Amino acid sequence: MLFGQYVIDKTIEEYVTEIGDLASDPRTLIFIDTNVVSYLYKLHEAARREFFAWSDGIAAEGRFFVPAWAANEYLSRVTSNTLASYTPKGKEPTQAKKMLETLHETASLFVDDISLRGIGYPGDRTTFLQEFRQAIEALNKFTSVFSQQFDPGVIHQQVVTHLSPFILNSDLAALCTRAMQEANGRIEHRLPPGFRDDGKPENRLGDLIIWFELLEKSAEVAGDFPRVLFISRDEKSDWVYAPAQRSRLVGGARKPVPNTEPQIKLADPRLVTEFARSTGHGDFTIANLPTLVEGLSRRSSSEFQHLAAAIQITAQETASLTARTDQETTALAPERTNEVPEAPAEAQPVEAPVVVEEPAEGPAPAQVEQAEPNPPRLQYRVEALQDSQYPADAPSEINSIIRDLKSHNWYTQNPAVTKVRTIREEPFTPSAWFVLGRNLYQAACGNSQKAMDFMGNLEAQLRQLPEETAKHLLSGMLYEIYFDGHGEFRESAKFSYADKPLAVVADEIYADVRDFILFQLREHRAQLKFLPGEQDIKVIHITSVAAAVPADDQEPLRGHTPPTHEVRSVILDGIELMRDVADAQDAAWQRMIRRAKLSPDRIREKISEDLAIPKWALTIETQPPIRTDLELAFPEGREFYPKQALVGR
């Protein structure tokens, strides 16, 4: 649509989900920009592993490529020995220490015993200044880590190993000639891409050359891949535009709202039109890396949690830098807020106990030998147990936080998690705290960085709350693991962040919480291999043999090294978790089975996810002894199926 769109009938949540679905569609061809490659140097090892695991997976499907010009731009850093410029510089800790030194000097000028009494400090002026100095020096052992540059040589080798096999085999000399011939006309008439780069001292035609590469490759494989996604870390201003308005769901109805914070951006319609002429289809999408990772997280949060956290931290740092710059150049505006005013304490609804049905008569599940648990002391309203019905629109500060957590948008959820500390002592109802716990857990499972941090430090977070409040919050988290928004038992537990709540609830201080969740699970124990409160360790026995050399027609895909070992058996609690493939498979499927790889660590993670057993309760024994990160192949006609452990239970 060459006229473009003024209003896009999508919510930000729908847009992010759409990008995740598009990237996961086996019919989608994916290209990455140079700035995605350079961003890998800013990630820690675990985040890079997640990115490469994703890129390796889609590359194995033949639908992931790096433009040759992007590789050429990267090469210029290698040949000029400037790869280190991609890595974090570590200046902020030095600047922070200088700021504290300045504060210490200022304190030495004005602090006296009167001002110290005003803040309740127990010592005199001399003691205060000495302890202040000691506190500054004590930070060195924490901030010194930032002086360690990431090793660019190690990261470069990872880039070469994982990405170089998928660089497009483009004729760059010919593309440069074409770009020179067309550039002046395109720039003169402001035709994307790249016309805004006309003033750059070098590489001013780089975007245009990458565009030509995308067109050529997309046209070549259009029959197999009728959808194309271009991922860039930034959103190039002459590649995309932002409609003025987007949709928002308000009370179940859609209404147009300003397309801001964050924006939905679309590929320039002139690019889409040119793309359609070149390839025969106009299904071309441009998205930035944060949107891609957020969308992928909604499909499989556990596979992207480190990458998601790193991207959000980078975005927060960028926003913070922008805010500091704005403060230096503009006057401070009066603070405004859209928050719904909190109802007075006495207006909070009175908590009514839930009528708990007694368990139906009949034989108990076969594996349960103990008596039915008594109805628990902790009780919550029906709309909390079925929190899709919870009235989060009711005015109160805790409901405002719950609403933001329900947004499914990282940049709304993260500030909401931070606000939790401001309401710790507030007398909200048990059900409100319970629903807050559910939504904190949901946000963590969606890879909201602040929510992930909250779950990672759950013991400490709960200790900062009144004991009863902590119990309600933890009850909500545990309930969310096993039950959906309608109060129905989940076919697959929401287990991404279950390790911490299931470890914490084993503490005797949370016996009431154990009673509550075990009572809720009383009719579902046959579907669980692990119950909250258990602490026993289960052993996974993995047996493997040396892998056979693949036949000529089963060579691994370009860039993939075949595994050296093949799995023969995976046993948990005496139950074999490998099984024969039920249906006859064609040759292509058999080849895919042979290429399928899981490390022992990933086998443990898969068992944890499928059987709802925390990873800390699973240990690995391999025969013969092998590294737990070694990738294992699976034999033809066999598959790994953890839920085999529940058959017949």
Side-chain angles (χ1 to χ4, degrees):
M1 187 170 94
L2 270 176
F3 283 131
Q5 298 188 56
Y6 183 81
V7 179
I8 179 170
D9 188 20
K10 292 179 185 175
T11 67
I12 190 69
E13 292 79 18
E14 290 168 344
Y15 169 70
V16 170
T17 299
E18 182 180 281
I19 295 300
D21 292 344
L22 177 63
S24 302
D25 188 334
R27 300 170 300 165
T28 300
L29 189 65
I30 298 177
F31 301 95
I32 60 170
D33 198 4
T34 314
N35 52 44
V36 175
V37 181
S38 65
Y39 183 61
L40 297 172
Y41 282 78
K42 294 178 170 58
L43 299 175
H44 57 80
E45 180 65 28
R48 283 200 304 277
R49 274 201 308 270
E50 290 178 349
F51 178 86
F52 288 134
W54 171 74
S55 63
D56 287 350
I58 59 175
E61 298 172 350
R63 59 187 191 92
F64 172 80
F65 292 98
V66 180
W69 190 260
N72 176 70
E73 291 177 333
Y74 178 89
L75 175 64
S76 69
R77 300 291 182 126
V78 178
T79 56
S80 62
N81 199 25
T82 56
L83 279 178
S85 63
Y86 284 152
T87 64
K89 297 299 182 183
K91 293 180 180 177
E92 288 293 334
T94 302
Q95 295 170 352
K97 186 172 181 181
K98 287 180 179 178
M99 182 184 70
L100 290 172
E101 295 281 4
T102 301
L103 286 175
H104 186 271
E105 292 174 4
T106 303
S108 67
L109 294 175
F110 82 90
V111 168
D112 56 22
D113 292 345
I114 295 175
S115 59
L116 292 176
R117 284 197 298 272
I119 63 170
Y121 183 77
D124 58 15
R125 178 181 186 278
T126 301
T127 304
F128 174 82
L129 292 175
Q130 289 175 344
E131 291 188 347
F132 194 169
R133 164 60 55 196
Q134 291 169 0
I136 294 173
E137 297 302 327
L139 289 174
N140 286 337
K141 68 179 180 180
F142 301 106
T143 59
S144 60
V145 69
F146 295 99
S147 66
Q148 303 297 312
Q149 289 279 351
F150 289 10
D151 187 340
V154 171
I155 302 172
H156 171 70
Q157 189 54 51
Q158 293 173 351
V159 169
V160 170
T161 299
H162 292 278
L163 301 185
S164 63
F166 310 108
I167 297 172
L168 289 174
N169 187 27
S170 304
D171 185 345
L172 289 184
L175 291 177
C176 286
T177 300
R178 178 185 172 189
M180 289 293 293
Q181 293 170 345
E182 297 187 22
N184 288 338
R186 296 180 78 115
I187 291 171
E188 173 69 22
H189 298 287
R190 303 180 64 78
L191 185 66
F195 68 82
R196 294 187 187 277
D197 292 338
D198 185 39
K200 291 173 63 175
E202 59 182 19
N203 193 33
R204 70 187 185 98
L205 303 183
D207 277 2
L208 184 56
I209 295 171
I210 287 177
W211 175 240
F212 291 156
E213 288 191 78
L214 265 61
L215 293 179
E216 284 187 2
K217 185 63 179 180
S218 299
E220 176 189 329
V221 298
D224 295 323
F225 301 106
R227 313 178 78 181
V228 175
L229 176 62
F230 179 48
I231 301 298
S232 178
R233 187 170 165 234
D234 58 5
E235 289 171 318
K236 303 169 185 291
S237 60
D238 55 358
W239 289 68
V240 297
Y241 75 104
Q245 295 181 325
R246 66 169 185 255
S247 290
R248 177 182 294 168
L249 292 176
V250 179
R254 305 176 79 87
K255 63 174 290 188
V257 296
N259 182 24
T260 58
E261 299 180 358
Q263 289 181 315
I264 294 176
K265 292 189 177 181
L266 307 177
D268 189 298
R270 291 166 292 182
L271 290 178
V272 176
T273 300
E274 184 178 357
F275 184 88
R277 284 201 309 272
S278 298
T279 66
H281 71 87
D283 201 335
F284 175 68
T285 303
I286 302 174
N288 64 22
L289 186 61
T291 301
L292 170 70
V293 175
E294 187 173 0
L296 292 172
S297 292
R298 294 185 181 183
R299 296 177 62 91
S300 181
S301 61
S302 62
E303 295 182 30
F304 301 98
Q305 54 188 242
H306 296 292
L307 183 57
I311 282 177
Q312 290 170 73
I313 290 170
T314 301
Q316 291 161 17
E317 290 173 347
T318 302
S320 176
L321 178 62
T322 302
R324 289 201 301 270
T325 303
D326 291 345
Q327 289 171 358
E328 291 169 359
T329 56
T330 62
L332 289 176
E335 184 177 354
R336 294 179 295 173
T337 176
N338 295 322
E339 190 170 300
V340 179
E342 183 182 356
E346 61 270 18
Q348 296 295 329
V350 176
E351 192 73 10
V354 174
V355 177
V356 182
E357 296 180 3
E358 292 296 332
E361 294 183 4
Q367 84 281 15
V368 179
E369 298 178 358
Q370 64 207 56
E372 285 286 336
N374 294 322
R377 180 181 71 83
L378 300 180
Q379 297 284 320
Y380 304 101
R381 299 175 68 94
V382 171
E383 60 264 30
L385 300 177
Q386 302 174 15
D387 76 330
S388 61
Q389 306 301 316
Y390 179 78
D393 291 335
S396 76
E397 192 169 359
I398 194 169
N399 283 344
S400 175
I401 294 173
I402 290 170
R403 287 196 299 273
D404 286 347
L405 291 174
K406 286 180 178 290
S407 70
H408 301 293
N409 179 272
W410 288 341
Y411 306 106
T412 301
Q413 292 172 326
N414 286 334
V417 177
T418 302
K419 288 179 185 177
V420 171
R421 68 170 180 262
T422 68
I423 63 168
R424 290 170 181 156
E425 302 295 331
E426 297 297 321
F428 299 116
T429 65
S431 285
W433 287 112
F434 178 88
V435 173
L436 179 61
R438 295 191 68 168
N439 283 273
L440 282 168
Y441 187 82
Q442 288 175 25
C445 289
N447 285 352
S448 159
Q449 183 257 328
K450 293 297 184 184
M452 288 192 287
D453 283 352
F454 192 101
M455 297 304 302
N457 297 286
L458 185 59
E459 301 99 325
Q461 295 287 357
L462 294 177
R463 282 197 299 269
Q464 296 176 54
L465 295 166
E467 185 174 311
E468 281 295 291
T469 298
K471 290 178 179 179
H472 301 317
L473 205 71
L474 182 58
S475 291
M477 292 175 179
L478 288 164
Y479 192 82
E480 182 65 23
I481 292 170
Y482 298 105
F483 296 92
D484 66 17
H486 302 288
E488 299 292 333
F489 183 72
R490 299 182 188 275
E491 290 186 9
S492 296
K494 185 185 285 188
F495 220 67
S496 300
Y497 280 86
D499 279 20
K500 271 300 178 73
L502 288 171
V504 171
V505 78
D507 192 312
E508 193 54 36
I509 193 175
Y510 297 115
D512 288 339
V513 180
R514 283 201 305 276
D515 291 344
F516 164 77
I517 194 62
L518 289 174
F519 187 82
Q520 301 299 322
L521 292 171
R522 67 194 184 280
E523 296 178 1
H524 308 288
R525 294 188 176 188
Q527 297 158 268
L528 297 169
K529 289 283 290 181
F530 182 95
L531 291 172
E534 291 184 7
Q535 301 182 51
D536 292 342
I537 304 299
K538 299 177 182 291
V539 180
I540 305 167
H541 298 275
I542 302 174
T543 303
S544 64
V545 297
V549 177
D552 291 342
D553 66 340
Q554 293 178 332
E555 284 296 324
L557 290 177
R558 183 166 58 127
H560 288 255
T561 302
T564 59
H565 286 71
E566 184 177 271
V567 178
R568 287 300 170 87
S569 174
V570 180
I571 294 176
L572 177 73
D573 284 349
I575 301 172
E576 176 60 66
L577 304 186
M578 298 283 292
R579 69 176 185 178
D580 293 335
V581 176
D583 301 322
Q585 308 293 326
D586 61 24
W589 175 251
Q590 292 290 359
R591 286 195 293 272
M592 192 184 84
I593 288 287
R594 290 193 61 81
R595 291 193 188 108
K597 296 181 290 185
L598 287 178
S599 67
D601 279 337
R602 180 60 188 131
I603 287 174
R604 180 175 69 167
E605 291 172 6
K606 182 67 174 168
I607 290 173
S608 173
E609 294 165 6
D610 285 8
L611 300 181
I613 304 171
K615 288 186 285 294
W616 53 258
L618 294 167
T619 189
I620 301 169
E621 289 185 359
T622 60
Q623 181 61 41
I626 57 174
R627 294 198 326 265
T628 57
D629 63 344
L630 185 71
E631 290 185 325
L632 305 169
F634 285 86
E636 191 170 305
R638 297 275 285 169
E639 67 177 356
F640 172 53
Y641 185 68
K643 290 191 176 180
Q644 189 98 331
L646 299 177
V647 174
R649 289 174 62 84

